Short mmCIF file of all heavy atoms in Angstrom, two decimals:
data_model
loop_
_atom_site.label_atom_id
_atom_site.label_comp_id
_atom_site.label_asym_id
_atom_site.label_seq_id
_atom_site.Cartn_x
_atom_site.Cartn_y
_atom_site.Cartn_z
N MET Y 17 -43.71 -8.58 12.77
CA MET Y 17 -42.79 -8.55 13.88
C MET Y 17 -43.41 -9.29 15.06
O MET Y 17 -44.59 -9.17 15.32
CB MET Y 17 -42.48 -7.11 14.30
CG MET Y 17 -41.63 -6.37 13.30
SD MET Y 17 -41.31 -4.64 13.73
CE MET Y 17 -40.37 -4.78 15.20
N SER Y 18 -42.58 -10.01 15.76
CA SER Y 18 -43.07 -10.78 16.90
C SER Y 18 -43.11 -9.90 18.15
O SER Y 18 -42.61 -8.77 18.17
CB SER Y 18 -42.16 -11.99 17.13
OG SER Y 18 -40.90 -11.57 17.58
N TRP Y 19 -43.68 -10.46 19.21
CA TRP Y 19 -43.79 -9.68 20.44
C TRP Y 19 -42.43 -9.42 21.07
O TRP Y 19 -42.24 -8.41 21.74
CB TRP Y 19 -44.73 -10.38 21.43
CG TRP Y 19 -44.19 -11.68 21.95
CD1 TRP Y 19 -44.34 -12.90 21.39
CD2 TRP Y 19 -43.40 -11.86 23.12
NE1 TRP Y 19 -43.69 -13.85 22.14
CE2 TRP Y 19 -43.11 -13.23 23.22
CE3 TRP Y 19 -42.92 -11.01 24.10
CZ2 TRP Y 19 -42.35 -13.76 24.25
CZ3 TRP Y 19 -42.16 -11.54 25.14
CH2 TRP Y 19 -41.88 -12.90 25.19
N THR Y 20 -41.45 -10.29 20.83
CA THR Y 20 -40.11 -10.03 21.37
C THR Y 20 -39.44 -8.86 20.65
O THR Y 20 -38.73 -8.07 21.28
CB THR Y 20 -39.22 -11.29 21.26
OG1 THR Y 20 -39.19 -11.73 19.91
CG2 THR Y 20 -39.74 -12.40 22.14
N ASP Y 21 -39.69 -8.75 19.35
CA ASP Y 21 -39.15 -7.61 18.60
C ASP Y 21 -39.75 -6.30 19.12
O ASP Y 21 -39.04 -5.31 19.32
CB ASP Y 21 -39.44 -7.75 17.11
CG ASP Y 21 -38.72 -8.93 16.49
OD1 ASP Y 21 -37.74 -9.42 17.08
OD2 ASP Y 21 -39.15 -9.37 15.40
N TRP Y 22 -41.06 -6.30 19.34
CA TRP Y 22 -41.73 -5.10 19.85
C TRP Y 22 -41.25 -4.76 21.25
O TRP Y 22 -41.09 -3.58 21.60
CB TRP Y 22 -43.24 -5.27 19.84
CG TRP Y 22 -43.83 -5.14 18.47
CD1 TRP Y 22 -44.33 -6.14 17.71
CD2 TRP Y 22 -43.94 -3.95 17.69
NE1 TRP Y 22 -44.76 -5.65 16.51
CE2 TRP Y 22 -44.54 -4.31 16.47
CE3 TRP Y 22 -43.59 -2.62 17.91
CZ2 TRP Y 22 -44.79 -3.37 15.47
CZ3 TRP Y 22 -43.85 -1.70 16.92
CH2 TRP Y 22 -44.44 -2.07 15.71
N THR Y 23 -41.02 -5.78 22.08
CA THR Y 23 -40.54 -5.54 23.44
C THR Y 23 -39.15 -4.92 23.44
O THR Y 23 -38.88 -3.95 24.15
CB THR Y 23 -40.53 -6.85 24.24
OG1 THR Y 23 -41.83 -7.42 24.21
CG2 THR Y 23 -40.10 -6.62 25.68
N CYS Y 24 -38.26 -5.47 22.63
CA CYS Y 24 -36.90 -4.93 22.54
C CYS Y 24 -36.92 -3.51 21.99
O CYS Y 24 -36.18 -2.64 22.46
CB CYS Y 24 -36.02 -5.82 21.67
SG CYS Y 24 -35.69 -7.42 22.39
N LEU Y 25 -37.76 -3.26 21.00
CA LEU Y 25 -37.89 -1.92 20.45
C LEU Y 25 -38.43 -0.95 21.49
O LEU Y 25 -37.94 0.18 21.62
CB LEU Y 25 -38.80 -1.94 19.22
CG LEU Y 25 -39.02 -0.61 18.52
CD1 LEU Y 25 -37.72 -0.12 17.91
CD2 LEU Y 25 -40.09 -0.75 17.47
N GLY Y 26 -39.41 -1.39 22.26
CA GLY Y 26 -39.98 -0.53 23.31
C GLY Y 26 -38.98 -0.21 24.40
O GLY Y 26 -38.90 0.93 24.87
N ILE Y 27 -38.19 -1.20 24.81
CA ILE Y 27 -37.17 -0.98 25.83
C ILE Y 27 -36.12 0.01 25.32
O ILE Y 27 -35.70 0.93 26.04
CB ILE Y 27 -36.52 -2.30 26.26
CG1 ILE Y 27 -37.52 -3.15 27.04
CG2 ILE Y 27 -35.25 -2.08 27.07
CD1 ILE Y 27 -37.03 -4.55 27.32
N SER Y 28 -35.71 -0.16 24.07
CA SER Y 28 -34.71 0.73 23.49
C SER Y 28 -35.25 2.16 23.36
O SER Y 28 -34.55 3.13 23.65
CB SER Y 28 -34.26 0.22 22.13
OG SER Y 28 -33.64 -1.03 22.26
N LEU Y 29 -36.49 2.28 22.93
CA LEU Y 29 -37.10 3.60 22.79
C LEU Y 29 -37.26 4.29 24.15
O LEU Y 29 -36.98 5.48 24.30
CB LEU Y 29 -38.45 3.48 22.09
CG LEU Y 29 -39.17 4.79 21.79
CD1 LEU Y 29 -38.33 5.64 20.84
CD2 LEU Y 29 -40.52 4.51 21.18
N LEU Y 30 -37.69 3.53 25.16
CA LEU Y 30 -37.80 4.07 26.51
C LEU Y 30 -36.43 4.52 27.03
O LEU Y 30 -36.31 5.59 27.63
CB LEU Y 30 -38.41 3.04 27.45
CG LEU Y 30 -38.52 3.45 28.91
CD1 LEU Y 30 -39.49 4.61 29.07
CD2 LEU Y 30 -38.94 2.27 29.75
N GLY Y 31 -35.41 3.72 26.76
CA GLY Y 31 -34.06 4.10 27.17
C GLY Y 31 -33.59 5.37 26.50
O GLY Y 31 -32.99 6.24 27.13
N PHE Y 32 -33.89 5.52 25.22
CA PHE Y 32 -33.50 6.73 24.49
C PHE Y 32 -34.21 7.95 25.05
O PHE Y 32 -33.60 9.01 25.26
CB PHE Y 32 -33.82 6.55 23.00
CG PHE Y 32 -33.41 7.72 22.16
CD1 PHE Y 32 -32.08 7.99 21.93
CD2 PHE Y 32 -34.37 8.54 21.60
CE1 PHE Y 32 -31.70 9.08 21.16
CE2 PHE Y 32 -34.01 9.62 20.83
CZ PHE Y 32 -32.67 9.90 20.60
N LEU Y 33 -35.51 7.81 25.32
CA LEU Y 33 -36.26 8.94 25.87
C LEU Y 33 -35.78 9.31 27.28
O LEU Y 33 -35.69 10.50 27.61
CB LEU Y 33 -37.75 8.62 25.88
CG LEU Y 33 -38.41 8.52 24.50
CD1 LEU Y 33 -39.85 8.07 24.64
CD2 LEU Y 33 -38.31 9.83 23.77
N LEU Y 34 -35.49 8.30 28.11
CA LEU Y 34 -34.97 8.59 29.44
C LEU Y 34 -33.60 9.26 29.38
O LEU Y 34 -33.29 10.13 30.18
CB LEU Y 34 -34.90 7.32 30.28
CG LEU Y 34 -36.22 6.78 30.79
CD1 LEU Y 34 -36.00 5.46 31.51
CD2 LEU Y 34 -36.91 7.77 31.68
N PHE Y 35 -32.78 8.84 28.42
CA PHE Y 35 -31.48 9.48 28.25
C PHE Y 35 -31.64 10.95 27.88
O PHE Y 35 -30.97 11.82 28.44
CB PHE Y 35 -30.67 8.76 27.17
CG PHE Y 35 -29.44 9.51 26.77
CD1 PHE Y 35 -28.34 9.57 27.61
CD2 PHE Y 35 -29.38 10.17 25.55
CE1 PHE Y 35 -27.21 10.28 27.25
CE2 PHE Y 35 -28.26 10.87 25.18
CZ PHE Y 35 -27.16 10.93 26.03
N LEU Y 36 -32.56 11.23 26.95
CA LEU Y 36 -32.78 12.63 26.57
C LEU Y 36 -33.34 13.45 27.73
O LEU Y 36 -32.95 14.60 27.94
CB LEU Y 36 -33.73 12.70 25.38
CG LEU Y 36 -33.17 12.20 24.06
CD1 LEU Y 36 -34.23 12.31 22.98
CD2 LEU Y 36 -31.93 12.97 23.67
N TYR Y 37 -34.22 12.86 28.50
CA TYR Y 37 -34.77 13.55 29.67
C TYR Y 37 -33.67 13.86 30.68
O TYR Y 37 -33.58 14.97 31.20
CB TYR Y 37 -35.86 12.70 30.33
CG TYR Y 37 -36.44 13.33 31.57
CD1 TYR Y 37 -37.46 14.26 31.47
CD2 TYR Y 37 -35.97 12.98 32.83
CE1 TYR Y 37 -37.99 14.85 32.61
CE2 TYR Y 37 -36.48 13.56 33.97
CZ TYR Y 37 -37.49 14.50 33.86
OH TYR Y 37 -38.00 15.08 34.98
N GLY Y 38 -32.84 12.87 30.96
CA GLY Y 38 -31.74 13.07 31.91
C GLY Y 38 -30.74 14.10 31.42
O GLY Y 38 -30.17 14.86 32.21
N ALA Y 39 -30.51 14.15 30.11
CA ALA Y 39 -29.56 15.11 29.56
C ALA Y 39 -30.13 16.53 29.62
O ALA Y 39 -29.40 17.49 29.89
CB ALA Y 39 -29.22 14.75 28.13
N ASN Y 40 -31.42 16.68 29.38
CA ASN Y 40 -32.01 18.02 29.36
C ASN Y 40 -32.23 18.60 30.75
O ASN Y 40 -32.16 19.81 30.93
CB ASN Y 40 -33.35 17.99 28.61
CG ASN Y 40 -33.13 17.93 27.12
OD1 ASN Y 40 -32.14 18.42 26.61
ND2 ASN Y 40 -34.05 17.30 26.42
N TYR Y 41 -32.51 17.75 31.72
CA TYR Y 41 -32.78 18.25 33.07
C TYR Y 41 -31.64 17.97 34.04
O TYR Y 41 -31.81 18.09 35.25
CB TYR Y 41 -34.08 17.63 33.60
CG TYR Y 41 -35.28 18.17 32.85
CD1 TYR Y 41 -35.92 17.38 31.90
CD2 TYR Y 41 -35.74 19.44 33.08
CE1 TYR Y 41 -36.99 17.87 31.20
CE2 TYR Y 41 -36.82 19.94 32.38
CZ TYR Y 41 -37.44 19.15 31.43
OH TYR Y 41 -38.50 19.64 30.74
N TYR Y 42 -30.47 17.63 33.50
CA TYR Y 42 -29.25 17.42 34.30
C TYR Y 42 -29.48 16.42 35.44
O TYR Y 42 -29.08 16.65 36.58
CB TYR Y 42 -28.73 18.75 34.85
CG TYR Y 42 -28.50 19.76 33.76
CD1 TYR Y 42 -29.34 20.85 33.61
CD2 TYR Y 42 -27.44 19.60 32.88
CE1 TYR Y 42 -29.14 21.76 32.60
CE2 TYR Y 42 -27.23 20.51 31.86
CZ TYR Y 42 -28.08 21.60 31.73
OH TYR Y 42 -27.88 22.50 30.73
N ASP Y 43 -30.14 15.33 35.11
CA ASP Y 43 -30.39 14.27 36.09
C ASP Y 43 -29.58 13.05 35.66
O ASP Y 43 -30.02 12.28 34.80
CB ASP Y 43 -31.88 13.95 36.16
CG ASP Y 43 -32.22 13.06 37.33
OD1 ASP Y 43 -31.29 12.57 37.99
OD2 ASP Y 43 -33.42 12.87 37.57
N PRO Y 44 -28.39 12.86 36.22
CA PRO Y 44 -27.53 11.79 35.74
C PRO Y 44 -28.07 10.39 36.00
O PRO Y 44 -27.82 9.47 35.21
CB PRO Y 44 -26.21 12.01 36.48
CG PRO Y 44 -26.56 12.83 37.66
CD PRO Y 44 -27.76 13.64 37.28
N THR Y 45 -28.83 10.21 37.07
CA THR Y 45 -29.36 8.87 37.37
C THR Y 45 -30.32 8.42 36.28
O THR Y 45 -30.20 7.30 35.77
CB THR Y 45 -30.08 8.89 38.73
OG1 THR Y 45 -29.19 9.37 39.72
CG2 THR Y 45 -30.55 7.50 39.10
N ILE Y 46 -31.24 9.29 35.90
CA ILE Y 46 -32.21 8.94 34.85
C ILE Y 46 -31.50 8.77 33.52
O ILE Y 46 -31.83 7.88 32.73
CB ILE Y 46 -33.29 10.04 34.76
CG1 ILE Y 46 -33.97 10.20 36.08
CG2 ILE Y 46 -34.24 9.76 33.63
CD1 ILE Y 46 -35.36 9.80 36.21
N GLY Y 47 -30.51 9.61 33.27
CA GLY Y 47 -29.75 9.50 32.01
C GLY Y 47 -29.03 8.18 31.89
O GLY Y 47 -29.05 7.53 30.84
N TRP Y 48 -28.37 7.75 32.96
CA TRP Y 48 -27.65 6.48 32.91
C TRP Y 48 -28.59 5.29 32.84
O TRP Y 48 -28.29 4.30 32.17
CB TRP Y 48 -26.70 6.33 34.09
CG TRP Y 48 -25.42 7.09 33.87
CD1 TRP Y 48 -25.03 8.21 34.50
CD2 TRP Y 48 -24.40 6.76 32.92
NE1 TRP Y 48 -23.81 8.62 34.01
CE2 TRP Y 48 -23.40 7.75 33.04
CE3 TRP Y 48 -24.23 5.75 31.99
CZ2 TRP Y 48 -22.26 7.74 32.26
CZ3 TRP Y 48 -23.08 5.74 31.22
CH2 TRP Y 48 -22.11 6.72 31.35
N ILE Y 49 -29.73 5.37 33.50
CA ILE Y 49 -30.73 4.30 33.37
C ILE Y 49 -31.17 4.21 31.92
O ILE Y 49 -31.33 3.12 31.37
CB ILE Y 49 -31.91 4.55 34.33
CG1 ILE Y 49 -31.50 4.33 35.77
CG2 ILE Y 49 -33.09 3.64 33.97
CD1 ILE Y 49 -32.54 4.75 36.78
N GLY Y 50 -31.35 5.35 31.28
CA GLY Y 50 -31.73 5.36 29.87
C GLY Y 50 -30.67 4.74 28.98
O GLY Y 50 -30.98 3.98 28.06
N VAL Y 51 -29.41 5.04 29.25
CA VAL Y 51 -28.32 4.46 28.46
C VAL Y 51 -28.30 2.95 28.61
O VAL Y 51 -28.18 2.20 27.63
CB VAL Y 51 -26.96 5.08 28.86
CG1 VAL Y 51 -25.80 4.30 28.26
CG2 VAL Y 51 -26.89 6.53 28.45
N PHE Y 52 -28.43 2.47 29.86
CA PHE Y 52 -28.40 1.04 30.10
C PHE Y 52 -29.60 0.34 29.47
O PHE Y 52 -29.47 -0.77 28.93
CB PHE Y 52 -28.33 0.73 31.59
CG PHE Y 52 -27.01 1.09 32.20
CD1 PHE Y 52 -26.96 1.76 33.41
CD2 PHE Y 52 -25.82 0.78 31.58
CE1 PHE Y 52 -25.75 2.10 33.98
CE2 PHE Y 52 -24.61 1.12 32.13
CZ PHE Y 52 -24.57 1.78 33.34
N LEU Y 53 -30.78 0.96 29.50
CA LEU Y 53 -31.95 0.37 28.84
C LEU Y 53 -31.77 0.32 27.33
O LEU Y 53 -32.15 -0.66 26.69
CB LEU Y 53 -33.22 1.13 29.20
CG LEU Y 53 -33.81 0.86 30.57
CD1 LEU Y 53 -35.00 1.79 30.82
CD2 LEU Y 53 -34.24 -0.58 30.70
N LEU Y 54 -31.22 1.38 26.76
CA LEU Y 54 -31.00 1.42 25.31
C LEU Y 54 -30.04 0.32 24.88
O LEU Y 54 -30.33 -0.46 23.97
CB LEU Y 54 -30.46 2.79 24.91
CG LEU Y 54 -30.12 2.99 23.44
CD1 LEU Y 54 -31.36 2.86 22.59
CD2 LEU Y 54 -29.45 4.33 23.22
N VAL Y 55 -28.91 0.23 25.56
CA VAL Y 55 -27.92 -0.80 25.22
C VAL Y 55 -28.47 -2.19 25.53
O VAL Y 55 -28.28 -3.13 24.76
CB VAL Y 55 -26.59 -0.52 25.97
CG1 VAL Y 55 -25.62 -1.67 25.80
CG2 VAL Y 55 -25.98 0.77 25.49
N GLY Y 56 -29.17 -2.32 26.65
CA GLY Y 56 -29.75 -3.61 27.02
C GLY Y 56 -30.79 -4.09 26.02
O GLY Y 56 -30.85 -5.28 25.71
N GLY Y 57 -31.61 -3.19 25.50
CA GLY Y 57 -32.61 -3.57 24.50
C GLY Y 57 -31.96 -4.06 23.22
O GLY Y 57 -32.41 -5.04 22.62
N ILE Y 58 -30.89 -3.39 22.81
CA ILE Y 58 -30.19 -3.81 21.59
C ILE Y 58 -29.51 -5.16 21.80
O ILE Y 58 -29.59 -6.05 20.95
CB ILE Y 58 -29.18 -2.72 21.17
CG1 ILE Y 58 -29.93 -1.47 20.73
CG2 ILE Y 58 -28.27 -3.22 20.05
CD1 ILE Y 58 -29.05 -0.26 20.54
N ILE Y 59 -28.84 -5.33 22.93
CA ILE Y 59 -28.16 -6.60 23.22
C ILE Y 59 -29.18 -7.73 23.34
O ILE Y 59 -28.95 -8.84 22.83
CB ILE Y 59 -27.29 -6.47 24.47
CG1 ILE Y 59 -26.09 -5.59 24.17
CG2 ILE Y 59 -26.84 -7.83 24.97
CD1 ILE Y 59 -25.24 -5.26 25.38
N LEU Y 60 -30.31 -7.47 24.00
CA LEU Y 60 -31.35 -8.50 24.13
C LEU Y 60 -31.87 -8.92 22.76
O LEU Y 60 -32.05 -10.12 22.50
CB LEU Y 60 -32.50 -7.98 24.99
CG LEU Y 60 -33.66 -8.93 25.21
CD1 LEU Y 60 -33.20 -10.16 25.98
CD2 LEU Y 60 -34.78 -8.22 25.94
N TYR Y 61 -32.09 -7.98 21.88
CA TYR Y 61 -32.56 -8.32 20.53
C TYR Y 61 -31.53 -9.18 19.80
O TYR Y 61 -31.89 -10.17 19.17
CB TYR Y 61 -32.84 -7.05 19.73
CG TYR Y 61 -33.21 -7.35 18.30
CD1 TYR Y 61 -34.47 -7.83 17.99
CD2 TYR Y 61 -32.30 -7.17 17.26
CE1 TYR Y 61 -34.81 -8.13 16.69
CE2 TYR Y 61 -32.64 -7.46 15.97
CZ TYR Y 61 -33.90 -7.94 15.68
OH TYR Y 61 -34.22 -8.23 14.38
N LEU Y 62 -30.26 -8.79 19.88
CA LEU Y 62 -29.22 -9.56 19.20
C LEU Y 62 -29.09 -10.97 19.76
O LEU Y 62 -28.95 -11.94 19.01
CB LEU Y 62 -27.87 -8.84 19.29
CG LEU Y 62 -27.75 -7.56 18.48
CD1 LEU Y 62 -26.43 -6.88 18.77
CD2 LEU Y 62 -27.91 -7.84 17.00
N VAL Y 63 -29.17 -11.11 21.08
CA VAL Y 63 -29.06 -12.43 21.71
C VAL Y 63 -30.24 -13.31 21.28
O VAL Y 63 -30.06 -14.48 20.92
CB VAL Y 63 -28.99 -12.30 23.24
CG1 VAL Y 63 -29.23 -13.63 23.93
CG2 VAL Y 63 -27.65 -11.72 23.66
N LEU Y 64 -31.45 -12.77 21.30
CA LEU Y 64 -32.62 -13.56 20.90
C LEU Y 64 -32.57 -13.92 19.42
O LEU Y 64 -32.94 -15.03 19.03
CB LEU Y 64 -33.90 -12.79 21.21
CG LEU Y 64 -34.24 -12.65 22.69
CD1 LEU Y 64 -35.45 -11.75 22.86
CD2 LEU Y 64 -34.48 -14.01 23.31
N TYR Y 65 -32.08 -13.02 18.58
CA TYR Y 65 -31.97 -13.30 17.16
C TYR Y 65 -30.94 -14.40 16.89
O TYR Y 65 -31.20 -15.34 16.13
CB TYR Y 65 -31.60 -12.03 16.39
CG TYR Y 65 -31.47 -12.25 14.91
CD1 TYR Y 65 -32.60 -12.39 14.11
CD2 TYR Y 65 -30.22 -12.34 14.31
CE1 TYR Y 65 -32.48 -12.60 12.75
CE2 TYR Y 65 -30.10 -12.56 12.96
CZ TYR Y 65 -31.23 -12.69 12.18
OH TYR Y 65 -31.11 -12.90 10.83
N ILE Y 66 -29.78 -14.29 17.51
CA ILE Y 66 -28.74 -15.30 17.33
C ILE Y 66 -29.20 -16.65 17.86
O ILE Y 66 -28.97 -17.69 17.23
CB ILE Y 66 -27.42 -14.84 17.99
CG1 ILE Y 66 -26.85 -13.65 17.23
CG2 ILE Y 66 -26.41 -15.97 18.06
CD1 ILE Y 66 -25.69 -12.97 17.92
N TYR Y 67 -29.87 -16.65 19.01
CA TYR Y 67 -30.37 -17.90 19.58
C TYR Y 67 -31.39 -18.56 18.65
O TYR Y 67 -31.35 -19.77 18.44
CB TYR Y 67 -30.99 -17.64 20.95
CG TYR Y 67 -31.58 -18.88 21.58
CD1 TYR Y 67 -30.75 -19.84 22.14
CD2 TYR Y 67 -32.95 -19.08 21.61
CE1 TYR Y 67 -31.28 -20.98 22.71
CE2 TYR Y 67 -33.49 -20.22 22.17
CZ TYR Y 67 -32.66 -21.17 22.72
OH TYR Y 67 -33.19 -22.29 23.29
N SER Y 68 -32.28 -17.76 18.08
CA SER Y 68 -33.27 -18.34 17.17
C SER Y 68 -32.63 -18.88 15.91
O SER Y 68 -33.07 -19.89 15.36
CB SER Y 68 -34.35 -17.32 16.82
OG SER Y 68 -33.82 -16.30 16.02
N GLU Y 69 -31.57 -18.23 15.43
CA GLU Y 69 -30.89 -18.73 14.24
C GLU Y 69 -30.12 -20.02 14.54
O GLU Y 69 -30.02 -20.91 13.70
CB GLU Y 69 -29.92 -17.67 13.69
CG GLU Y 69 -30.62 -16.49 13.05
CD GLU Y 69 -31.40 -16.88 11.82
OE1 GLU Y 69 -30.91 -17.71 11.02
OE2 GLU Y 69 -32.51 -16.34 11.65
N LEU Y 70 -29.57 -20.14 15.73
CA LEU Y 70 -28.80 -21.32 16.08
C LEU Y 70 -29.70 -22.52 16.36
O LEU Y 70 -29.26 -23.67 16.18
CB LEU Y 70 -27.92 -21.05 17.31
CG LEU Y 70 -26.74 -20.13 17.08
CD1 LEU Y 70 -26.02 -19.86 18.40
CD2 LEU Y 70 -25.78 -20.71 16.07
N THR Y 71 -30.89 -22.28 16.81
CA THR Y 71 -31.78 -23.40 17.15
C THR Y 71 -32.70 -23.83 16.01
O THR Y 71 -33.47 -24.77 16.20
CB THR Y 71 -32.65 -23.05 18.37
OG1 THR Y 71 -33.39 -21.87 18.09
CG2 THR Y 71 -31.78 -22.84 19.61
N LYS Y 72 -32.60 -23.19 14.87
CA LYS Y 72 -33.40 -23.63 13.73
C LYS Y 72 -32.92 -25.00 13.26
O LYS Y 72 -31.72 -25.28 13.23
CB LYS Y 72 -33.29 -22.64 12.57
CG LYS Y 72 -34.10 -21.42 12.73
CD LYS Y 72 -34.01 -20.57 11.50
CE LYS Y 72 -34.85 -19.32 11.63
NZ LYS Y 72 -34.70 -18.45 10.47
N ARG Y 73 -33.86 -25.81 12.91
CA ARG Y 73 -33.47 -27.12 12.39
C ARG Y 73 -33.18 -26.99 10.90
O ARG Y 73 -33.94 -26.40 10.16
CB ARG Y 73 -34.59 -28.12 12.60
CG ARG Y 73 -34.84 -28.38 14.05
CD ARG Y 73 -35.86 -29.47 14.21
NE ARG Y 73 -36.17 -29.59 15.62
CZ ARG Y 73 -35.96 -30.70 16.31
NH1 ARG Y 73 -35.45 -31.74 15.73
NH2 ARG Y 73 -36.25 -30.72 17.59
N GLN Y 74 -32.08 -27.57 10.52
CA GLN Y 74 -31.70 -27.51 9.11
C GLN Y 74 -32.38 -28.64 8.36
O GLN Y 74 -32.35 -29.79 8.78
CB GLN Y 74 -30.21 -27.63 8.97
CG GLN Y 74 -29.45 -26.46 9.56
CD GLN Y 74 -27.96 -26.62 9.40
OE1 GLN Y 74 -27.49 -27.67 9.00
NE2 GLN Y 74 -27.23 -25.59 9.72
N THR Y 75 -33.03 -28.29 7.26
CA THR Y 75 -33.65 -29.31 6.42
C THR Y 75 -32.71 -29.61 5.27
O THR Y 75 -32.31 -28.71 4.53
CB THR Y 75 -35.01 -28.83 5.90
OG1 THR Y 75 -34.84 -27.59 5.22
CG2 THR Y 75 -35.98 -28.63 7.05
N ALA Y 76 -32.36 -30.87 5.14
CA ALA Y 76 -31.42 -31.25 4.09
C ALA Y 76 -32.24 -31.48 2.87
O ALA Y 76 -32.00 -31.60 1.80
CB ALA Y 76 -30.65 -32.49 4.48
#
Protein backbone atom coordinates (compact mmCIF):
# COMPACT_ATOMS: atom_id res chain seq x y z
CA MET A 1 0.00 0.00 0.00
CA SER A 2 1.22 3.46 -0.83
CA TRP A 3 1.40 6.40 1.53
CA THR A 4 -1.76 7.89 0.02
CA ASP A 5 -3.68 4.71 0.82
CA TRP A 6 -2.44 4.81 4.41
CA THR A 7 -3.32 8.51 4.70
CA CYS A 8 -6.86 7.99 3.44
CA LEU A 9 -7.28 5.00 5.74
CA GLY A 10 -5.99 7.02 8.70
CA ILE A 11 -8.33 9.94 7.97
CA SER A 12 -11.29 7.57 7.68
CA LEU A 13 -10.38 5.75 10.89
CA LEU A 14 -9.95 9.04 12.76
CA GLY A 15 -13.33 10.18 11.46
CA PHE A 16 -14.98 6.96 12.62
CA LEU A 17 -13.45 7.26 16.08
CA LEU A 18 -14.46 10.92 16.39
CA PHE A 19 -17.99 10.02 15.34
CA LEU A 20 -18.18 7.35 18.03
CA TYR A 21 -16.78 9.74 20.62
CA GLY A 22 -19.30 12.42 19.68
CA ALA A 23 -22.15 9.91 19.78
CA ASN A 24 -21.21 8.55 23.21
CA TYR A 25 -20.61 11.89 24.90
CA TYR A 26 -23.43 13.78 23.13
CA ASP A 27 -21.04 16.22 21.49
CA PRO A 28 -22.54 17.00 18.07
CA THR A 29 -19.63 19.13 16.86
CA ILE A 30 -17.09 16.33 17.29
CA GLY A 31 -19.55 13.82 15.85
CA TRP A 32 -20.14 15.83 12.69
CA ILE A 33 -16.42 16.46 12.24
CA GLY A 34 -15.98 12.70 12.44
CA VAL A 35 -18.66 12.09 9.82
CA PHE A 36 -17.10 14.63 7.46
CA LEU A 37 -13.62 13.13 7.94
CA LEU A 38 -14.93 9.61 7.33
CA VAL A 39 -16.75 10.60 4.13
CA GLY A 40 -13.87 12.85 3.06
CA GLY A 41 -11.32 10.05 3.46
CA ILE A 42 -13.40 7.70 1.34
CA ILE A 43 -14.01 10.33 -1.36
CA LEU A 44 -10.32 11.29 -1.38
CA TYR A 45 -9.31 7.66 -1.88
CA LEU A 46 -11.78 7.22 -4.74
CA VAL A 47 -10.68 10.44 -6.45
CA LEU A 48 -6.99 9.50 -6.22
CA TYR A 49 -7.68 5.97 -7.46
CA ILE A 50 -9.73 7.16 -10.44
CA TYR A 51 -7.13 9.81 -11.27
CA SER A 52 -4.33 7.25 -11.23
CA GLU A 53 -6.31 4.92 -13.47
CA LEU A 54 -7.06 7.69 -15.95
CA THR A 55 -3.48 8.89 -16.16
CA LYS A 56 -1.92 5.48 -16.78
CA ARG A 57 -0.35 5.21 -20.17
CA GLN A 58 -1.77 2.46 -22.27
CA THR A 59 0.76 0.16 -23.87
CA ALA A 60 -0.42 -1.19 -27.19
